[in-house]
Amino acid sequence: MPLYRFILFIALLVFTEIVSADEILPIDVYGDLPEVSMMVISPSGEKIAYRQTQQGKDYISVYNLADEKVLGSIDVSQIKPSYVYFIDEQRLILVVKRSSRLWGYRGRHEVSSAYSYNLANNKMNQLLTLGSGIDEGQTQIGTIVGLSSDGKSVYMPAWINETSFSLMKTALDKAKVKRFKRGSADVIDYFVNDGDQILARELYDNEEDSHRVEAQINGRWQEIFREKTAVRSKSFVGLTPDFNYLIMLDENADTDRVAYYTMRLTDGKISEPIFSQANKSVESVLTDINRVVYGVRYGGFKPSYKIFNEKIHHLVESLIQSMPNNSLRLVSHTPDWKKIVFLIAGDNAKGDYLIHSEGKFSLVSSQRPRIAATKVHQIYQTQFEARDGLKIPLLLTLPKATLKSLPAIVMPHGGPESYDEITFNWMAQYFASRGFLVVQPQFRGSDGFGGDFILKGRGEWGRKMQHDLTDAVQTLIKLDYVDANKICIVGASYGGYAALAGATFTPKLYQCAVSINGVADVKQMLEDEEHDYGEDHWLLSYWQKNIINGELAKDHLEKISPITHVKDVQIPILLIHGEYDLVVPFSQSKNMYEKLKEAGKQVKLVELPAGDHHLSNGINRLEALKAVDTFIMNNIGAH
């Protein structure tokens, strides 16, 4: 029996036979959460761990590759793991997020926490808990910045009270926590070495707009970096292997792309840009548990890497180049790189985990085993010219039909400083399976295409950013790829805002619009941010730059808010929103619904019980997709 099928059987998951290539797949195949995800490999390469999801249940399981046996499996249905990794052969760390109420605070909050899972006794231990010395008014207690030298504890920053963001030493296998280093209210991060020493701490003062780094020099904190900025532009993300330098990511003015720098801990001297490319930004770094950096990941529709070990770099690069029609994402590896786990998407790949070892690939599992490779729709990357001449990158997911006068779904991404990648996008693949051309313009303001491209989106919500979506549609209509009478715009988060903006600002361009957890009232959004974080907080400064960008008309926010233009709506609108969305409040969709109803417009609101911003609950995700399916088919149908 193939290994990927065997895994699903032994984890008590029901395996469904792959359908024939010409059969239309049921909606739940796309709407359900991936059955296998978060796969990582143990240091020895003998075991893999992964999250399994089916019928509302989640498990973290550990599997022995050699003898094809499950070594342990634990139910994590109540804690929603975000990611998992091995510390050693017997222990894993699970980082989770969940919506919770905090004692003494109004409303619900997304709280992150971390657990250790011991394979020997098949038990989990939460590493930090609110109360008992840990301030109960905080949401981020799942961050780990280092492992103790004896391997028995981890270092985790946490608020002790409102004035002390301190570093805690937390035992992995028992409920034992002690304060390792007292902090202050301005500290936001710590950096430690592999010998239980704190090397540096990062600070930010919202009132003074002061970004600083202090290093431990001769037993005292000494400032080695200071910058006055309302929004932090430099990211301190790790350490060099010799622990003598911090790693900093910042934009290289010469290339307009984010580059990698080192900053010496003895005096704060910053290097010239390293790993700087003219057409790619360093998006993230590859680190171990002590945040020692050994490589970087570049952004783009497909990920690419620079591994500092040249031999390993050439291996990874050659493997990526061997599959030019696919996206090959590095997800895990053994310390000696003899076994590397990749997640492959693109042509004939629906999110498949491959292990490379001894010069060959082996399929371990698919995220979606019920989808045949032949059912995966091609993703095509191109660009078009906006009305002002700016080149806008574009992804098209193609139905299995002639590219002529197709019904289309325009899918603007969230963020808005984000971008779409070549991956198995469950919603885009669903639409393509029903005969729609899926259009994903990377409008100005999107990340991944250079700092200048981002800056061109400043202050352009509802204006040039929206024009880019309009221009993408009109370009495809002129090429006769899209039927002008069968176009719907569907988006989530900022994409939901863009969908509502499409319905209000260009009411004749689309035949329907779907907003999932979207913003309808921009002025109210900024007022909520100020209420939640305070007028001095950097997050409010970020949104003001992103949306307002300087001196504009007093009614600017009203002008760009769809809720103030409901009278212009001429098409049906579907609003979907999670009850516990902590990013965009449910009230945004509720108020938009009431305004549309008052104006006599055709609108439906679907509230997802206990739903969050990311549709991370499988039941809610499927309910949302079914609502979208009915709405789209009723309004523009299939090809």
Side-chain angles (χ1 to χ4, degrees):
M1 179 181 294
L3 179 55
Y4 72 93
R5 288 181 60 181
F6 183 75
I7 289 176
L8 296 179
F9 267 122
I10 56 180
L12 302 180
L13 297 178
V14 179
F15 180 80
T16 304
E17 289 296 331
I18 291 174
V19 299
S20 63
D22 59 349
E23 185 178 342
I24 296 177
L25 300 179
I27 192 171
D28 63 286
V29 169
Y30 298 96
D32 284 343
L33 296 177
E35 294 184 30
V36 178
S37 61
M38 302 181 191
M39 185 172 289
V40 290
I41 196 163
S42 71
S44 70
E46 296 176 357
K47 304 164 187 170
I48 54 172
Y50 46 90
R51 178 185 177 184
Q52 299 172 309
T53 304
Q54 196 171 62
Q55 298 178 347
K57 285 290 187 179
D58 285 303
Y59 297 88
I60 292 293
S61 296
V62 180
Y63 179 82
N64 189 294
L65 289 168
D67 58 15
E68 301 184 347
K69 289 183 178 178
V70 171
L71 302 175
S73 184
I74 193 162
D75 190 337
V76 293
S77 303
Q78 301 302 314
I79 60 174
K80 286 198 306 186
S82 298
Y83 57 93
V84 59
Y85 56 91
F86 279 97
I87 289 181
D88 52 37
E89 291 299 307
Q90 294 298 318
R91 294 175 300 178
L92 296 98
I93 295 291
L94 283 66
V95 178
V96 308
K97 295 180 181 180
R98 54 186 165 187
S99 172
S100 303
R101 292 190 178 274
L102 296 177
W103 186 85
Y105 292 82
R106 294 187 306 168
R108 303 188 69 86
H109 305 266
E110 186 175 71
V111 178
S112 78
S113 52
Y115 293 76
S116 64
Y117 170 45
N118 193 321
L119 194 59
N121 58 19
N122 203 44
K123 290 184 178 180
M124 284 198 308
N125 174 47
Q126 185 169 350
L127 298 180
L128 277 185
T129 57
L130 299 177
S132 301
I134 305 298
D135 191 278
E136 296 190 4
Q138 59 187 306
T139 59
Q140 303 297 318
I141 57 168
T143 302
I144 295 174
V145 299
L147 179 68
S148 65
S149 57
D150 61 9
K152 295 180 180 180
S153 302
V154 289
Y155 295 106
M156 306 177 71
W159 289 93
I160 303 305
N161 51 51
E162 293 182 357
T163 62
S164 179
F165 189 67
S166 300
L167 191 63
M168 315 304 292
K169 187 174 184 181
T170 309
L172 286 167
D173 296 320
K174 54 186 176 181
K176 182 180 179 182
V177 178
K178 68 176 182 178
R179 187 169 64 197
F180 187 71
K181 189 72 175 180
R182 184 178 180 84
S184 67
D186 294 342
V187 177
I188 58 175
D189 201 1
Y190 289 93
F191 297 88
V192 301
N193 65 12
D194 58 358
D196 305 299
Q197 295 176 309
I198 301 178
L199 302 179
R201 63 184 186 182
E202 184 181 5
L203 306 94
Y204 185 79
D205 187 320
N206 282 295
E207 292 184 2
E208 307 232 346
D209 294 338
S210 174
H211 187 196
R212 296 181 291 135
V213 174
E214 295 177 343
Q216 277 279 319
I217 301 174
N218 298 323
R220 296 176 56 196
W221 288 119
Q222 296 190 31
E223 185 178 291
I224 60 172
F225 169 84
R226 176 185 286 264
E227 181 179 56
K228 187 174 180 62
T229 175
V231 179
R232 284 176 282 143
S233 60
K234 295 176 174 60
S235 300
F236 295 95
V237 293
L239 295 153
T240 55
D242 59 9
F243 295 106
N244 290 328
Y245 298 83
L246 278 180
I247 303 303
M248 182 184 82
L249 301 185
D250 191 20
E251 185 175 308
N252 179 356
D254 294 332
T255 64
D256 187 38
R257 302 286 175 155
V258 175
Y260 172 107
Y261 299 79
T262 61
M263 187 172 76
R264 193 159 57 198
L265 285 169
T266 53
D267 57 10
K269 183 178 180 180
I270 297 173
S271 70
E272 292 297 313
I274 308 170
F275 309 124
S276 180
Q277 293 196 16
N279 61 347
K280 290 182 180 180
S281 289
V282 175
E283 190 165 86
S284 60
V285 293
L286 309 179
T287 70
D288 65 12
I289 192 171
N290 285 95
R291 297 200 287 179
V292 172
V293 180
Y294 56 84
V296 302
R297 175 189 163 190
Y298 294 105
F301 285 146
K302 297 179 182 179
S304 57
Y305 303 89
K306 172 62 182 178
I307 311 299
F308 300 165
N309 181 306
E310 286 298 323
K311 182 179 178 180
I312 302 302
H313 173 73
H314 289 308
L315 170 63
V316 172
E317 183 70 13
S318 65
L319 295 176
I320 290 174
Q321 294 299 324
S322 70
M323 300 184 183
N325 296 325
N326 294 93
S327 169
L328 207 61
R329 181 181 300 275
L330 173 63
V331 296
S332 184
H333 59 87
T334 56
D336 58 11
W337 292 86
K338 288 186 178 180
K339 290 186 178 180
I340 310 173
V341 182
F342 290 97
L343 180 64
I344 183 172
D347 286 3
N348 298 316
K350 61 279 180 92
D352 300 319
Y353 287 105
L354 308 176
I355 290 183
H356 181 268
S357 178
E358 298 180 349
K360 62 181 180 180
F361 280 110
S362 301
L363 173 66
V364 183
S365 178
S366 171
Q367 289 187 325
R368 296 170 176 83
R370 293 194 288 164
I371 299 178
T374 54
K375 304 297 291 183
V376 179
H377 293 268
Q378 182 183 358
I379 306 168
Y380 180 71
Q381 62 183 81
T382 183
Q383 64 178 15
F384 67 94
E385 190 172 290
R387 64 188 69 179
D388 61 357
L390 184 65
K391 298 291 193 302
I392 305 294
L394 176 68
L395 286 182
L396 299 173
T397 303
L398 309 178
K400 297 186 183 299
T402 303
L403 192 57
K404 183 176 177 62
S405 297
L406 292 170
I409 304 294
V410 179
M411 275 183 53
H413 61 70
E417 285 188 23
S418 179
Y419 64 95
D420 294 301
E421 299 180 58
I422 293 179
T423 185
F424 189 93
N425 183 311
W426 60 274
M427 188 171 279
Q429 289 287 325
Y430 159 75
F431 283 131
S433 76
R434 266 51 180 176
F436 296 98
L437 174 66
V438 182
V439 183
Q440 294 174 283
Q442 310 305 297
F443 46 83
R444 71 194 67 202
S446 299
D447 198 2
F449 308 100
D452 186 57
F453 195 82
I454 292 176
L455 292 177
K456 288 183 184 301
R458 292 286 193 263
E460 297 297 342
W461 280 46
R463 304 197 298 184
K464 290 182 180 179
M465 290 166 70
Q466 199 69 26
H467 296 340
D468 292 342
L469 302 180
T470 301
D471 294 347
V473 173
Q474 292 178 339
T475 298
L476 293 170
I477 291 173
K478 288 178 182 178
L479 293 170
D480 197 26
Y481 292 160
V482 168
D483 183 343
N485 298 309
K486 287 192 172 186
I487 307 171
C488 191
I489 182 167
V490 180
S493 194
Y494 173 84
Y497 164 82
L500 295 176
T504 50
F505 303 150
T506 53
K508 295 182 180 180
L509 184 64
Y510 304 105
Q511 283 68 56
C512 57
V514 179
S515 171
I516 303 171
N517 296 333
V519 174
D521 188 338
V522 183
K523 183 179 180 180
Q524 186 62 53
M525 168 191 160
L526 290 180
E527 289 177 356
D528 289 343
E529 293 292 307
E530 183 174 354
H531 176 270
D532 291 343
Y533 295 98
E535 61 180 2
D536 294 325
H537 199 276
W538 69 267
L539 186 60
L540 186 64
S541 298
Y542 165 79
W543 282 122
Q544 289 172 338
K545 282 188 175 183
N546 191 286
I547 299 170
I548 301 173
N549 196 33
E551 296 297 327
L552 292 166
K554 289 184 178 180
D555 62 349
H556 174 67
L557 296 179
E558 287 84 356
K559 283 184 176 179
I560 65 171
S561 293
I563 199 167
T564 59
H565 299 275
V566 295
K567 64 179 178 18
D568 298 322
V569 172
Q570 300 177 20
I571 61 175
I573 292 177
L574 173 63
L575 302 167
I576 300 174
H577 216 116
E579 177 189 12
Y580 294 164
D581 187 340
L582 303 177
V583 179
V584 178
F586 173 73
S587 59
Q588 285 276 341
S589 287
K590 181 182 178 182
N591 293 342
M592 184 67 175
Y593 172 76
E594 291 173 351
K595 287 285 187 181
L596 287 165
K597 291 294 287 185
E598 288 174 7
K601 306 301 180 179
Q602 189 177 343
V603 60
K604 180 178 180 180
L605 173 62
V606 176
E607 180 179 358
L608 301 175
D612 63 12
H613 188 66
H614 308 288
L615 295 180
S616 60
N617 178 286
I619 295 173
N620 282 340
R621 179 181 290 192
L622 183 55
E623 181 182 345
L625 188 57
K626 287 179 177 178
V628 171
D629 172 75
T630 300
F631 179 78
I632 296 291
M633 293 305 175
N634 286 343
N635 285 288
I636 60 174
H639 186 55

